[in-house]
Protein backbone atom coordinates (compact mmCIF):
# COMPACT_ATOMS: atom_id res chain seq x y z
CA UNK A 1 0.00 0.00 0.00
CA UNK A 2 1.26 3.47 -0.89
CA UNK A 3 2.13 5.75 2.01
CA UNK A 4 -0.31 8.65 2.29
CA UNK A 5 0.97 11.77 0.57
CA UNK A 6 3.69 10.08 -1.44
CA UNK A 7 3.48 10.10 -5.22
CA UNK A 8 5.91 9.87 -8.09
CA UNK A 9 5.51 13.62 -8.63
CA UNK A 10 6.17 14.49 -4.99
CA UNK A 11 9.20 12.20 -4.90
CA UNK A 12 10.52 13.70 -8.13
CA UNK A 13 10.17 17.23 -6.76
CA UNK A 14 11.84 16.23 -3.48
CA UNK A 15 14.58 14.46 -5.44
CA UNK A 16 15.15 17.62 -7.50
CA UNK A 17 15.42 19.69 -4.33
CA UNK A 18 17.83 17.13 -2.88
CA UNK A 19 19.91 17.28 -6.07
CA UNK A 20 20.21 21.05 -5.72
CA UNK A 21 21.32 20.66 -2.10
CA UNK A 22 23.78 17.75 -2.29
CA UNK A 23 24.45 17.15 -5.98
CA UNK A 24 22.64 15.09 -8.58
CA UNK A 25 24.96 12.09 -8.25
CA UNK A 26 24.06 11.80 -4.56
CA UNK A 27 20.34 11.37 -5.25
CA UNK A 28 19.19 7.82 -4.56
CA UNK A 29 15.98 6.17 -3.45
CA UNK A 30 17.68 5.53 -0.09
CA UNK A 31 18.54 9.22 0.35
CA UNK A 32 14.98 10.16 -0.52
CA UNK A 33 13.58 7.61 1.93
CA UNK A 34 15.69 9.20 4.67
CA UNK A 35 14.31 12.61 3.74
CA UNK A 36 10.75 11.35 4.14
CA UNK A 37 11.63 9.20 7.16
CA UNK A 38 10.22 6.10 5.50
CA UNK A 39 11.57 2.71 4.55
CA UNK A 40 13.10 2.44 1.09
CA UNK A 41 10.63 -0.27 0.13
CA UNK A 42 7.74 2.16 0.58
CA UNK A 43 9.04 4.29 -2.30
CA UNK A 44 9.16 1.45 -4.81
CA UNK A 45 5.45 1.71 -5.49
CA UNK A 46 6.18 5.18 -6.91
CA UNK A 47 9.64 4.87 -8.50
CA UNK A 48 11.30 1.70 -9.80
CA UNK A 49 14.83 2.46 -8.62
CA UNK A 50 17.40 5.24 -8.32
CA UNK A 51 17.88 5.40 -12.10
CA UNK A 52 14.14 5.87 -12.59
CA UNK A 53 14.20 8.66 -9.99
CA UNK A 54 17.14 10.35 -11.72
CA UNK A 55 15.41 10.11 -15.09
CA UNK A 56 12.29 11.71 -13.63
CA UNK A 57 14.41 14.55 -12.19
CA UNK A 58 16.10 15.02 -15.57
CA UNK A 59 12.73 15.24 -17.30
CA UNK A 60 11.50 17.75 -14.73
CA UNK A 61 14.61 19.90 -15.22
CA UNK A 62 14.30 19.82 -19.01
CA UNK A 63 10.64 20.85 -18.71
CA UNK A 64 11.40 23.68 -16.29
CA UNK A 65 14.18 25.04 -18.49
CA UNK A 66 12.06 24.75 -21.65
CA UNK A 67 9.23 26.69 -19.99
CA UNK A 68 11.65 29.41 -18.90
CA UNK A 69 13.21 29.56 -22.34
CA UNK A 70 9.84 29.83 -24.09
CA UNK A 71 8.88 32.73 -21.83
CA UNK A 72 12.26 34.44 -22.30
CA UNK A 73 12.22 34.06 -26.09
CA UNK A 74 8.71 35.37 -26.69
CA UNK A 75 8.92 38.31 -29.08
CA UNK A 76 12.72 38.22 -29.41
CA UNK A 77 14.94 37.58 -32.41
CA UNK A 78 18.59 37.65 -33.41
CA UNK A 79 21.16 38.46 -30.76
CA UNK A 80 18.44 39.38 -28.27
CA UNK A 81 16.99 35.87 -28.55
CA UNK A 82 20.42 34.25 -28.44
CA UNK A 83 21.25 36.13 -25.25
CA UNK A 84 17.88 35.34 -23.69
CA UNK A 85 18.31 31.60 -24.30
CA UNK A 86 21.88 31.58 -23.03
CA UNK A 87 20.86 33.48 -19.90
CA UNK A 88 18.06 31.00 -19.19
CA UNK A 89 20.55 28.13 -19.10
CA UNK A 90 23.09 30.04 -17.02
CA UNK A 91 20.53 31.38 -14.55
CA UNK A 92 18.85 28.00 -14.17
CA UNK A 93 22.20 26.31 -13.52
CA UNK A 94 23.05 28.87 -10.86
CA UNK A 95 19.66 28.56 -9.16
CA UNK A 96 19.36 24.79 -9.51
CA UNK A 97 22.81 23.21 -9.93
CA UNK A 98 21.59 19.69 -9.22
CA UNK A 99 18.69 19.92 -11.63
CA UNK A 100 20.95 21.44 -14.25
CA UNK A 101 23.27 18.44 -13.86
CA UNK A 102 20.22 16.19 -14.14
CA UNK A 103 19.29 17.81 -17.45
CA UNK A 104 22.57 16.48 -18.85
CA UNK A 105 21.61 12.87 -18.07
CA UNK A 106 21.76 10.66 -21.13
CA UNK A 107 18.24 9.43 -21.81
CA UNK A 108 17.25 6.44 -23.88
CA UNK A 109 16.08 7.45 -27.37
CA UNK A 110 12.35 6.99 -26.71
CA UNK A 111 12.45 8.95 -23.46
CA UNK A 112 14.54 11.69 -25.05
CA UNK A 113 12.16 11.96 -28.00
CA UNK A 114 9.20 12.41 -25.64
CA UNK A 115 11.02 14.89 -23.38
CA UNK A 116 11.18 18.68 -23.34
CA UNK A 117 14.65 18.30 -24.84
CA UNK A 118 12.86 18.39 -28.19
CA UNK A 119 11.50 21.84 -27.31
CA UNK A 120 15.03 23.02 -26.47
CA UNK A 121 16.22 21.97 -29.92
CA UNK A 122 13.22 23.58 -31.60
CA UNK A 123 13.78 26.88 -29.80
CA UNK A 124 17.49 26.86 -30.63
CA UNK A 125 16.73 26.18 -34.28
CA UNK A 126 14.13 28.96 -34.29
CA UNK A 127 16.80 31.39 -33.09
CA UNK A 128 19.21 30.15 -35.74
CA UNK A 129 16.67 30.70 -38.53
CA UNK A 130 17.18 34.39 -37.78
CA UNK A 131 20.81 33.92 -38.77
CA UNK A 132 19.74 32.33 -42.08
CA UNK A 133 21.63 29.07 -41.56
CA UNK A 134 20.77 26.12 -43.75
CA UNK A 135 21.55 22.49 -42.98
CA UNK A 136 24.03 21.12 -42.11
CA UNK A 137 25.31 24.46 -40.79
CA UNK A 138 22.29 24.82 -38.55
CA UNK A 139 23.06 21.51 -36.82
CA UNK A 140 26.69 22.52 -36.43
CA UNK A 141 25.54 25.80 -34.87
CA UNK A 142 23.15 24.01 -32.46
CA UNK A 143 26.08 21.92 -31.28
CA UNK A 144 28.31 24.98 -30.99
CA UNK A 145 25.80 26.86 -28.85
CA UNK A 146 25.13 23.87 -26.61
CA UNK A 147 28.85 23.30 -26.14
CA UNK A 148 29.62 26.91 -25.32
CA UNK A 149 26.65 27.40 -22.99
CA UNK A 150 27.21 24.16 -21.10
CA UNK A 151 30.97 24.46 -21.06
CA UNK A 152 30.99 27.97 -19.67
CA UNK A 153 28.26 27.26 -17.12
CA UNK A 154 29.97 24.07 -15.94
CA UNK A 155 33.34 25.77 -15.53
CA UNK A 156 31.75 28.71 -13.75
CA UNK A 157 29.76 26.49 -11.36
CA UNK A 158 32.89 24.50 -10.64
CA UNK A 159 34.75 27.66 -9.60
CA UNK A 160 36.98 27.63 -12.64
CA UNK A 161 36.82 31.40 -13.09
CA UNK A 162 36.73 32.48 -9.45
CA UNK A 163 40.48 33.00 -9.21
CA UNK A 164 40.82 35.96 -11.56
CA UNK A 165 39.36 39.16 -12.93
CA UNK A 166 37.44 40.31 -14.89
CA UNK A 167 34.00 39.47 -13.57
CA UNK A 168 32.41 36.39 -15.14
CA UNK A 169 29.42 38.45 -16.36
CA UNK A 170 31.76 40.55 -18.49
CA UNK A 171 33.22 37.41 -20.04
CA UNK A 172 29.74 35.93 -20.58
CA UNK A 173 28.64 39.08 -22.41
CA UNK A 174 31.73 38.99 -24.63
CA UNK A 175 31.18 35.32 -25.42
CA UNK A 176 27.60 36.01 -26.49
CA UNK A 177 28.79 38.94 -28.62
CA UNK A 178 31.35 36.63 -30.25
CA UNK A 179 28.74 33.92 -30.88
CA UNK A 180 26.46 36.48 -32.52
CA UNK A 181 29.32 37.58 -34.77
CA UNK A 182 30.22 34.00 -35.65
CA UNK A 183 26.61 33.15 -36.50
CA UNK A 184 26.16 36.28 -38.63
CA UNK A 185 29.30 35.40 -40.61
CA UNK A 186 28.87 31.64 -40.77
CA UNK A 187 30.15 30.26 -44.05
CA UNK A 188 27.38 29.40 -46.50
CA UNK A 189 26.45 25.75 -46.94
CA UNK A 190 28.35 24.05 -49.75
Amino acid sequence: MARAGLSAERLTQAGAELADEVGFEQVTVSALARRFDVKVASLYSHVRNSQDLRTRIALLALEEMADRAADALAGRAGKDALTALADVYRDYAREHPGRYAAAQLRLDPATAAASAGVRHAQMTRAILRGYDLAEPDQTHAVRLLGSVFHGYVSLELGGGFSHSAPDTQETWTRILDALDTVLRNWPPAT
Side-chain angles (χ1 to χ4, degrees):
M1 172 184 272
R3 183 176 172 92
L6 293 182
S7 66
E9 293 77 21
R10 185 166 179 220
L11 294 173
T12 301
Q13 187 64 43
E17 292 166 8
L18 183 62
D20 288 338
E21 293 167 19
V22 301
F24 181 59
E25 291 304 317
Q26 303 304 313
V27 175
T28 63
V29 174
S30 297
L32 207 52
R34 286 191 296 277
R35 177 165 277 218
F36 282 99
D37 196 27
V38 298
K39 294 185 187 275
V40 172
S42 66
L43 300 186
Y44 287 130
S45 60
H46 306 289
V47 294
R48 289 187 306 272
N49 52 40
S50 291
Q51 185 60 36
D52 179 42
L53 176 62
R54 286 189 189 107
T55 298
R56 290 171 184 271
I57 295 167
L59 295 172
L60 172 68
L62 288 168
E63 190 72 36
E64 288 175 345
M65 284 194 296
D67 290 345
R68 285 186 182 197
D71 289 344
L73 291 172
R76 297 176 190 254
K79 183 181 176 195
D80 192 33
L82 175 69
T83 299
L85 181 65
D87 286 345
V88 163
Y89 289 131
R90 185 174 182 225
D91 292 345
Y92 187 85
R94 290 167 146 185
E95 293 168 32
H96 301 291
R99 293 177 208 204
Y100 181 78
Q104 310 311 310
L105 183 70
R106 185 176 185 158
L107 302 172
D108 67 75
T111 303
S115 77
V118 173
R119 287 176 56 207
H120 290 266
Q122 290 168 338
M123 287 183 278
T124 303
R125 287 181 183 280
I127 290 168
L128 292 172
R129 280 194 294 275
Y131 289 97
D132 200 28
L133 298 180
E135 284 300 345
D137 289 324
Q138 193 177 95
T139 296
H140 295 313
V142 167
R143 292 172 181 167
L144 171 68
L145 294 179
S147 298
V148 171
F149 298 166
H150 178 66
Y152 189 87
V153 166
S154 296
L155 288 167
E156 184 178 36
L157 286 177
F161 306 133
S162 62
H163 61 282
S164 63
D167 180 72
T168 57
Q169 181 58 45
E170 182 179 337
T171 305
W172 182 246
T173 300
R174 287 183 176 218
I175 287 170
L176 297 178
D177 289 345
L179 284 173
D180 177 64
T181 299
V182 166
L183 293 172
R184 289 189 188 286
N185 296 296
W186 198 278
T190 56

